[in-house]
Amino acid sequence: MNFRDSDELTALAGEYVLGLFSPVEKIEFERELAINRELAKAVYYWQDRLLEVAPMPAPVAPAPGLWARIERDLAPPAPDRAAKPGLWASLNFWRFAGLVGALASLLLAWNLITGAPPVAPGQQYLAVLQTPDKSAGWLVEANARHVRLTPLTRTAAKEKQVLQFWTKPEGASGPTSLGLVPGDRITLIPASRLPGLGEKQLFEITLEPESGSPIGRPTGPILAVGRAVRL
Amino acid sequence: MGARGQAGADGRAIGLVMAEADFDYEAALLACAGGDQAALRRIYERESRWLMGVALRIVRRRELADEVLHDAFLQIWQKCTTYNPALGSARGWIYSVVRHRALNVLRDRQREDPSGDVSLDDIPDGSADPADSVSRASEASALHRCLKHLDEQKRVCILLAFVDGYTHQQIAARLSTPLGTVKAWIRRGLLSLRDCLA
């Protein structure tokens, strides 16, 4: 993608807002979007203009109780959320990501030269989360696109309690919340929420108070836990 | 932005150019960024029926559209700190979150079951086929004029993508036109729309 030419940048932003990119193109575009203010301006421009020119589909009432479900699943507001810019908007993050990318390329080149098997970009990881009684409680499948969490048994949280899903990459200082999850159906979580993805990464589910752990790390009992293996 | 705030015959603001005067989307979204859940609820109460219409038009199934709305509101809550009021409207940003969420669901489904594609003719909600409609933007607005100004094919391509979530390939199939031509129409259409509005 050419982000230098202004017409090209405008057209790319329009195509992005229209939703015409493939998953790979989208990743490339969003990477640039996080650091390129002109591109961000063009995206906001099309968001507004296209909304104004398009005919409005007929209004439809959402399912009753939908708001209650949204409210239940909201993460508790962090005290400093207004002050903290998103990771995706952080230039340092992308500089770091670029460095990691460059190192990965070097490693790949080295592997090719030395004949070691190259690392496939679409790496799949699997973790079976065991319950305290050592039975398989949940299945975690993760790749560059998303994490799929499948309950293998029905886990019902008691009233005023919720199930919270966590992960901690090998060597990370602490766990990251992947959100509150239902105990009776599959949850898909975008991979962008992961702090990383790798071999032996820890995944766990804990029982937490109604709106999730108030302190950003697990406080309740562990219902299931397991480590990822690469497929 | 002369099109905003035009009331329709039924008293409701027209289409996507709904009145903004009585609701401050920017203030509500910035309040969300400050951790105010009541502000998110105000956005939901104000906009959920319309957002649901947009999502349903793309994913075609009501239970999927409910899921889209659920997930999109969680995303709005999580991502609202990234909204930049200096660059554009909060309303455009909110609709964009919902559209992207709906498109992800649609694309995932189409990947899993490419044959399960529903044709436009199956949509029961009576909303206009974008191929036949211009927009309900005010007749006098620059937007209306500019959209009318576009070649028919370019306008149809842009609206099929925006309203129905079609891919380049689906648009090409629907219009029986080569893929490369469709891609070029959309790019040129976007650029002439921008030039006309400038």
Side-chain angles (χ1 to χ4, degrees), chain A residues 69-91:
Chain A
R69 205 147 66 75
I70 291 168
E71 203 170 28
R72 193 198 63 197
D73 295 344
L74 286 178
D80 60 342
R81 53 184 281 137
K84 208 163 58 185
L87 182 63
W88 300 104
S90 153
L91 183 58

Side-chain angles (χ1 to χ4, degrees), chain A residues 15 37 54 65 78 81 148 151 175 217 221 226:
Chain A
E15 289 172 327
R37 191 177 161 91
R81 53 184 281 137
R148 182 196 294 264
R217 52 178 196 277

Side-chain angles (χ1 to χ4, degrees), chain B residues 47-120:
Chain B
E47 214 67 25
S48 59
R49 293 171 66 244
W50 300 97
L51 291 168
M52 184 74 182
V54 166
L56 182 62
R57 180 77 188 219
I58 292 173
V59 299
R60 315 287 160 87
R61 275 174 47 200
R62 190 175 276 262
E63 68 275 18
L64 285 177
D66 280 326
E67 282 316 298
V68 166
L69 210 60
H70 170 268
D71 295 352
F73 267 84
L74 295 190
Q75 282 186 339
I76 290 168
W77 181 246
Q78 284 158 3
K79 288 173 42 182
C80 53
T81 50
T82 67
Y83 165 64
N84 185 342
L87 299 184
S89 81
R91 188 161 169 274
W93 187 92
I94 290 164
Y95 272 81
S96 207
V97 172
V98 172
R99 279 195 72 254
H100 278 297
R101 188 67 222 130
L103 289 170
N104 280 345
V105 169
L106 179 70
R107 305 277 188 258
D108 281 350
R109 275 186 70 217
Q110 285 169 344
R111 251 190 300 277
E112 281 162 22
D113 179 19
S115 63
D117 219 12
V118 184
S119 90
L120 263 188

Side-chain angles (χ1 to χ4, degrees), chain A residues 58-143:
Chain A
V60 178
L66 186 62
W67 170 256
R69 205 147 66 75
I70 291 168
E71 203 170 28
R72 193 198 63 197
D73 295 344
L74 286 178
D80 60 342
R81 53 184 281 137
K84 208 163 58 185
L87 182 63
W88 300 104
S90 153
L91 183 58
N92 280 337
F93 171 74
W94 288 111
R95 283 191 178 133
F96 176 70
L99 190 67
V100 171
L103 285 174
S105 306
L106 277 177
L107 186 68
L108 187 61
W110 175 252
N111 284 343
L112 286 173
I113 293 164
T114 58
V119 182
Q123 217 49 269
Q124 298 278 339
Y125 291 86
L126 186 75
V128 178
L129 311 192
Q130 288 197 334
T131 57
D133 64 10
K134 300 287 172 219
S135 65
W138 303 72
L139 187 67
V140 177
E141 297 156 277
N143 57 37

Side-chain angles (χ1 to χ4, degrees), chain A residues 7-8 10 15 17-19 26 44 46-48 51-53 56 60 63 69 73 75 81 145, chain B residues 4 16 49-50 66-67 70 77 81 84 87 89 96 99 107-108 111 135-136 143 187 190 194:
Chain A
D7 275 1
E8 186 68 16
T10 303
E15 289 172 327
V17 173
L18 287 173
K26 212 173 148 187
Y44 274 84
W46 284 122
Q47 277 173 190
D48 285 349
L51 192 63
E52 288 165 33
V53 300
M56 183 63 143
V60 178
R69 205 147 66 75
D73 295 344
R81 53 184 281 137
R145 250 174 1 106
Chain B
R4 296 225 175 132
L16 282 185
R49 293 171 66 244
W50 300 97
D66 280 326
E67 282 316 298
H70 170 268
W77 181 246
T81 50
N84 185 342
L87 299 184
S89 81
S96 207
R99 279 195 72 254
R107 305 277 188 258
D108 281 350
R111 251 190 300 277
S135 121
R136 282 173 279 173
L143 277 167
R187 304 205 114 209
L190 287 167
R194 179 210 52 189

Side-chain angles (χ1 to χ4, degrees), chain B residues 5 10 29 33 57 70 86 98 120 123 127 131 140 142 148 150 180 186 193:
Chain B
D10 61 353
L29 201 53
R57 180 77 188 219
H70 170 268
V98 172
L120 263 188
I123 299 171
S127 47
K148 257 181 100 170
L150 275 187
I186 291 177
L193 204 55

Side-chain angles (χ1 to χ4, degrees), chain B residues 129-161:
Chain B
D129 184 336
D132 307 322
S133 63
V134 177
S135 121
R136 282 173 279 173
S138 156
E139 286 287 330
S141 77
L143 277 167
H144 184 84
R145 189 168 43 77
C146 289
L147 197 65
K148 257 181 100 170
H149 202 67
L150 275 187
D151 296 345
E152 177 66 17
Q153 310 103 327
K154 291 175 191 157
R155 186 170 72 219
V156 169
C157 289
I158 288 174
L159 291 179
L160 280 174

